[in-house]
Amino acid sequence: MYLDVADLRTFYDLPIGRLLRVLIGGQIRTFWPDMNGRSLLGVGYAGPFMRPYLPTAERCIAAMPAQQGAVPWPREADNAAALVEDDRLPFSDAAFDRALVVHALDHCSNPGELLRETWRVLAPGGRMIAVVPNRRGLWSQSELSPFGYGRPYSRSQLKALLRGSQFEVMGDTEALFMPPTRARFVLRSARTWEGIGRRFWPAFSGLLIMEAEKQVFRGIPADGKRNPLRVLRPVFIPDGAPAGMKPVRHMTGNRDLLEKS
């Protein structure tokens, strides 16, 4: 279930929300250092992390789900926010080069449908970044931030979800190693927490950040099972074999003998 957009905007205006913008946004920019000439779609509530790309991107659109609500974005320029249905995005096929999905996969009722719509509006070879709470981390257990109210994921669960929606995982990283708190001394030392946590307990980060590329072909099923339809193989019949006869190889040297079918 989505949180109210007014609560999300209020959170990111607080000191802890502004700190999360920096910590999470820094990891997103390790994947996408710039957006020169590219189009960017934000799904969920991705506006705080799209702002650095506004000066260089061809266009930035913030698609905010109807269950969450929408607010004008960005505040300092013409509105580029749209109220959408997360399983029926109002954009044409292959309309965007990049998609940033934040506060969406953890709150929507059908993550697979949301990803399929994101896949549809991405151009061939387009890339997506998903930001979700880590099932092992403290932030998914705390109500201090929006990341504590949705569905957390493990790394393997998120990879399986992306691959099942025809995305190829290109890379992943973590964010938020500091404990979820408003204590000022912890917030002031947030970068130190991030450096220590990334080195010593990466599996217990607060968030998972994963980049994936749109595949334009159908992959092998994730469970490895083959199509139940039997593949028919051609049978070799030597020239001059009488009708109604089939070749049978007997273990008597290298000769092929014929028998009635």
Side-chain angles (χ1 to χ4, degrees):
M1 182 176 180
Y2 285 99
L3 298 177
D4 189 271
V5 69
D7 296 330
L8 290 167
R9 181 170 62 175
T10 299
F11 172 79
Y12 282 105
D13 285 339
L14 296 173
I16 187 173
R18 292 197 295 270
L19 176 62
L20 263 59
R21 289 189 193 192
V22 174
L23 297 179
I24 301 170
Q27 295 306 312
I28 292 173
R29 286 191 293 279
T30 62
F31 292 107
W32 300 344
D34 61 67
M35 200 63 62
N36 292 333
R38 294 189 175 97
S39 53
L40 174 63
L41 173 68
V43 181
Y45 192 76
F49 311 105
M50 298 169 63
R51 188 175 300 277
Y53 299 119
L54 281 171
T56 58
E58 178 193 355
R59 67 180 183 276
C60 292
I61 302 293
M64 302 186 186
Q67 302 94 318
Q68 166 193 285
V71 291
W73 181 88
R75 295 177 180 177
E76 69 275 13
D78 293 339
N79 181 50
L83 189 67
V84 304
E85 294 291 341
D86 58 16
D87 59 351
R88 192 176 300 175
L89 297 177
F91 308 110
S92 60
D93 296 357
F96 296 92
D97 301 304
R98 298 286 187 269
L100 181 58
V101 181
V102 188
H103 299 306
L105 292 177
D106 45 333
H107 292 287
C108 68
S109 59
N110 193 329
E113 285 295 328
L114 186 148
L115 284 176
R116 280 188 282 275
E117 275 296 280
T118 305
W119 183 95
R120 180 183 64 79
V121 301
L122 277 174
R127 296 198 175 187
M128 177 197 70
I129 286 180
V131 179
V132 298
N134 182 7
R135 184 176 295 278
R136 294 183 177 181
L138 295 176
W139 287 82
S140 66
Q141 310 300 322
S142 170
E143 296 182 356
L144 182 66
S145 80
F147 295 107
Y149 287 85
R151 178 193 306 106
Y153 290 84
S154 67
R155 193 183 306 273
S156 59
Q157 286 173 333
L158 183 57
K159 285 184 177 179
L161 180 62
L162 294 175
R163 288 169 177 166
S165 300
Q166 289 186 251
F167 283 98
E168 180 182 358
V169 176
M170 306 301 293
D172 62 89
T173 189
E174 307 84 16
L176 299 190
F177 292 94
M178 69 177 196
T181 177
R182 290 192 178 94
R184 291 186 178 181
F185 76 93
V186 175
L187 298 183
R188 285 196 296 266
S189 59
R191 293 189 181 277
T192 302
W193 280 98
E194 293 295 295
I196 295 174
R198 193 173 302 281
R199 182 173 181 180
F200 292 105
W201 56 86
F204 299 97
S205 64
L207 300 181
L208 300 173
I209 302 173
M210 196 167 289
E211 184 192 31
E213 184 178 70
K214 174 178 177 175
Q215 292 181 324
V216 293
F217 55 87
R218 185 173 298 278
I220 298 173
D223 58 7
K225 295 180 180 178
R226 295 188 176 186
N227 191 308
L229 295 176
R230 184 171 62 89
V231 177
L232 299 179
R233 297 181 179 179
V235 176
F236 172 66
I237 301 178
D239 291 340
M245 307 292 284
K246 64 180 181 181
V248 176
R249 183 174 296 276
H250 292 275
M251 300 302 295
T252 56
N254 296 320
R255 299 173 57 194
D256 285 337
L257 303 179
L258 296 176
E259 70 177 9
K260 295 260 184 175
S261 60

